[in-house]
Amino acid sequence: MASYTEENYLKALYNLANPQGEVSISDLANSLNVSMPTANSMVKGLQKSDLVLYEKYKPVTLTPKGKKEAALVVRKHRLTEMFLVKKMGFGWEEVHEVAEQIEHIHAPKFFERMDEMLGHPTIDPHGSPIPDNQGRMQEFSYVPLSTCKPGQSVQLTALTNSSTEFLEFLNSRKLALGTELRILSREAYDLSVVVSYDSHAQETLSEKVSERLLVRILE
Amino acid sequence: MASYTEENYLKALYNLANPQGEVSISDLANSLNVSMPTANSMVKGLQKSDLVLYEKYKPVTLTPKGKKEAALVVRKHRLTEMFLVKKMGFGWEEVHEVAEQIEHIHAPKFFERMDEMLGHPTIDPHGSPIPDNQGRMQEFSYVPLSTCKPGQSVQLTALTNSSTEFLEFLNSRKLALGTELRILSREAYDLSVVVSYDSHAQETLSEKVSERLLVRILE
DNA sequence: CAAATTTGTTAGAATGATCTAACATATTAC
DNA sequence: GTAATATGTTAGATCATTCTAACAAATTTG
Ligand SMILES: [Mn+2]
Ligand SMILES: [Mn+2]
Ligand SMILES: [Mn+2]
Ligand SMILES: [Mn+2]
């Protein structure tokens, strides 16, 4: 069984994988705030347990076994976040750090019960999909708000970044998942986007913000 | 901050302490399923962090700081067990192992929220007191059923053992906290006790069982 | 109280996870 | 296509937690 630390490596590999499933040692090390030699040596260990494929100087890839284990940790993380928000009254900006710990609890019934109580949710409080209990995750095809055109109506469905700071920024603008936005214009100079929603007649979102907001196009 | 392992040592010391607050290395090692040299070396580490008092060949004692830290871990354990039973529908026999893990989560708000949702409970599902958020624990003066006399009426209030097997045995006899028992007789030969309660007109409890049941005397 | 037993300590080693310093390979820029 | 830069690896060390084997102190027993 993977250790606490190994689970964090698997999850990082899962989240960092490019379309070919590859992750560089430097990205891995960076994401986990460890040195490259540390990441390198851990990867060798994961390889011994058949959780990753790895050759010197090549990027790392999860094996099917590793990918499933990773997805199941992600499942625990996202179910936990959903539970904290829906059943314990936490804000979406306060749940990530706790979930980062609770995802390592070994107690299948605990998470099954959360899942039941939540009615088998398919997305977490930040709009990210929750893998099923076999580790399968559905794909959504949402687009960043930054790629939308003036005149379009869209619905905020997910985020590409869920840092506390970003979530607090969204709170301050009363932007939540489900919010419907109309794109009024786009500033060519700084790529900021002007939108209206709810009682906000006009709100300007910087490029940095708009590229982190994933939306479903309504019309 | 104490590590996961250190927290388990502190908790064991807290639970094993005799009236003078002392714990032998062998009891500590035994309780944690580690060798005596391991316990010995960990105790030296705890001493460096001012969590225990210790001299070669003498029993170990928690410092006030160590005792408080231990009590706060016990608090998290017991709040968790209560939450699992009252808010998530688990049986009292299934919560200890999960709580053993969740007690190490570092997230004050998570446990504060549990406490609130539970209405600031003072006992856990097995009748053990929950220390307050300063680590203070109230003393109860319950007596083992085995010390009671025939003719007495008592109420089951706590347990001195909370193993899954024992709890399942109690479930099978429909014995729960709060059950009122009348002591019908006591067998001199094997010290078993015959009691009646609810719809059970006559139930024989072995000495092993009756000394693990803590009761409050009603009359 | 001396012997036997139990309890506790030291020494030495292993494993997992981490680091820094030094070196090697790969990629990018000129 | 070499030089500079970025990326990756090896070596060697540290720290926490654990072990077994050997020895030492304390306690119990006859
Ligand atoms: Mn998260
Ligand atoms: Mn984590
Ligand atoms: Mn317990
Ligand atoms: Mn524990």
Side-chain angles (χ1 to χ4, degrees):
Chain A
M1 199 147 46
S3 70
Y4 191 109
T5 308
E6 286 174 324
E7 286 186 345
N8 280 335
Y9 277 83
L10 291 176
K11 199 158 63 85
L13 289 168
Y14 187 84
N15 288 325
L16 295 172
N18 69 14
Q20 290 80 59
E22 300 167 336
V23 181
S24 70
I25 296 283
S26 81
D27 283 357
L28 181 61
N30 236 297
S31 153
L32 292 164
N33 289 303
V34 296
S35 67
M36 282 203 294
T38 298
N40 182 269
S41 115
M42 282 300 297
V43 161
K44 286 177 180 173
L46 293 172
Q47 190 185 26
K48 281 231 181 65
S49 317
D50 277 315
L51 294 165
V52 304
L53 296 173
Y54 168 66
E55 282 176 90
K56 256 195 197 185
Y57 296 105
K58 294 264 179 65
V60 191
T61 318
L62 287 168
T63 61
K65 181 182 166 196
K67 194 171 171 181
K68 182 174 179 181
E69 273 213 38
L72 291 176
V73 177
V74 169
R75 174 176 168 78
K76 290 191 282 179
H77 182 102
R78 293 183 179 167
L79 275 178
T80 299
E81 289 189 340
M82 203 62 176
F83 187 87
L84 291 168
V85 169
K86 297 289 184 194
K87 301 293 169 185
M88 295 187 74
F90 285 94
W92 68 345
E93 77 286 359
E94 347 176 65
V95 297
H96 180 78
E97 288 308 314
V98 197
E100 202 56 53
Q101 298 175 63
I102 296 187
E103 68 190 1
H104 304 290
I105 301 289
H106 291 293
K109 290 188 73 174
F110 178 57
F111 295 100
E112 277 164 27
R113 192 71 193 99
M114 273 191 191
D115 187 38
E116 270 173 43
M117 289 174 72
L118 291 166
H120 311 287
T122 57
I123 55 162
D124 81 2
H126 314 109
S128 303
I130 300 176
D132 69 21
N133 57 20
Q134 299 306 302
R136 290 176 301 237
M137 190 168 83
Q138 72 191 110
E139 297 289 324
F140 289 109
S141 50
Y142 300 141
V143 296
L145 178 62
S146 55
T147 66
C148 296
K149 305 271 171 292
Q152 284 185 315
S153 278
V154 301
Q155 183 177 36
L156 181 55
T157 49
L159 311 172
T160 55
N161 175 290
S162 300
S163 66
T164 303
E165 305 74 52
F166 183 46
L167 294 169
E168 282 173 348
F169 168 81
L170 297 179
N171 285 345
S172 75
R173 303 300 154 104
K174 296 277 181 290
L175 280 167
L177 293 193
T179 300
E180 295 185 11
L181 309 157
R182 173 165 287 278
I183 302 168
L184 302 178
S185 64
R186 178 203 259 90
E187 185 59 57
Y189 174 63
D190 64 358
L191 299 179
S192 63
V193 178
V194 183
V195 297
S196 74
Y197 57 94
D198 301 338
S199 58
H200 299 239
Q202 202 173 320
E203 194 75 68
T204 302
L205 304 173
S206 70
E207 186 191 18
K208 183 157 182 175
V209 167
S210 67
E211 68 192 10
R212 283 165 168 63
L213 298 176
L214 295 179
V215 302
R216 189 164 66 79
I217 295 170
L218 296 174
E219 55 174 274
Chain B
M1 197 150 44
S3 69
Y4 191 110
T5 307
E6 285 174 324
E7 286 185 347
N8 280 335
Y9 277 83
L10 292 176
K11 198 157 63 88
L13 290 167
Y14 186 84
N15 289 324
L16 294 171
N18 69 14
Q20 290 80 57
E22 299 168 336
V23 181
S24 70
I25 295 283
S26 81
D27 284 356
L28 180 62
N30 236 297
S31 153
L32 292 165
N33 290 302
V34 298
S35 68
M36 283 202 295
T38 298
N40 182 268
S41 115
M42 282 298 298
V43 162
K44 288 177 178 172
L46 293 171
Q47 189 185 26
K48 281 233 182 66
S49 317
D50 277 313
L51 295 164
V52 304
L53 296 173
Y54 169 67
E55 282 177 273
K56 259 196 198 187
Y57 296 105
K58 294 265 180 63
V60 191
T61 318
L62 286 169
T63 61
K65 181 183 166 196
K67 194 171 171 181
K68 181 173 179 182
E69 272 213 38
L72 291 177
V73 177
V74 170
R75 173 175 168 78
K76 290 191 281 179
H77 182 104
R78 294 182 179 166
L79 275 178
T80 298
E81 289 188 340
M82 204 62 175
F83 187 87
L84 291 169
V85 168
K86 297 288 185 198
K87 300 293 171 185
M88 295 186 74
F90 285 95
W92 67 346
E93 77 286 358
E94 352 177 61
V95 297
H96 179 77
E97 289 306 316
V98 196
E100 202 56 54
Q101 298 175 63
I102 296 187
E103 67 190 2
H104 304 292
I105 301 287
H106 292 293
K109 290 188 74 173
F110 178 57
F111 295 99
E112 276 165 27
R113 191 72 193 100
M114 273 190 191
D115 188 39
E116 271 174 41
M117 288 175 72
L118 292 165
H120 311 287
T122 57
I123 55 160
D124 80 3
H126 314 110
S128 303
I130 300 176
D132 70 19
N133 58 21
Q134 299 307 302
R136 291 176 300 238
M137 191 166 83
Q138 71 191 112
E139 298 288 325
F140 289 109
S141 51
Y142 300 141
V143 297
L145 179 62
S146 55
T147 66
C148 297
K149 305 271 171 289
Q152 284 186 313
S153 277
V154 301
Q155 183 176 36
L156 182 55
T157 48
L159 311 172
T160 55
N161 174 291
S162 301
S163 66
T164 304
E165 306 74 51
F166 183 48
L167 294 168
E168 281 173 349
F169 167 82
L170 297 179
N171 284 346
S172 75
R173 302 301 153 103
K174 295 277 181 292
L175 281 166
L177 293 193
T179 300
E180 295 186 9
L181 307 157
R182 172 164 288 277
I183 300 167
L184 301 178
S185 64
R186 180 207 260 83
E187 186 59 59
Y189 174 62
D190 65 357
L191 300 179
S192 62
V193 178
V194 184
V195 298
S196 74
Y197 57 94
D198 300 337
S199 58
H200 299 238
Q202 200 173 320
E203 194 75 66
T204 303
L205 302 174
S206 69
E207 186 193 17
K208 183 158 181 175
V209 168
S210 68
E211 68 191 13
R212 285 167 168 62
L213 297 177
L214 294 179
V215 302
R216 189 164 64 81
I217 295 169
L218 296 175
E219 55 173 275

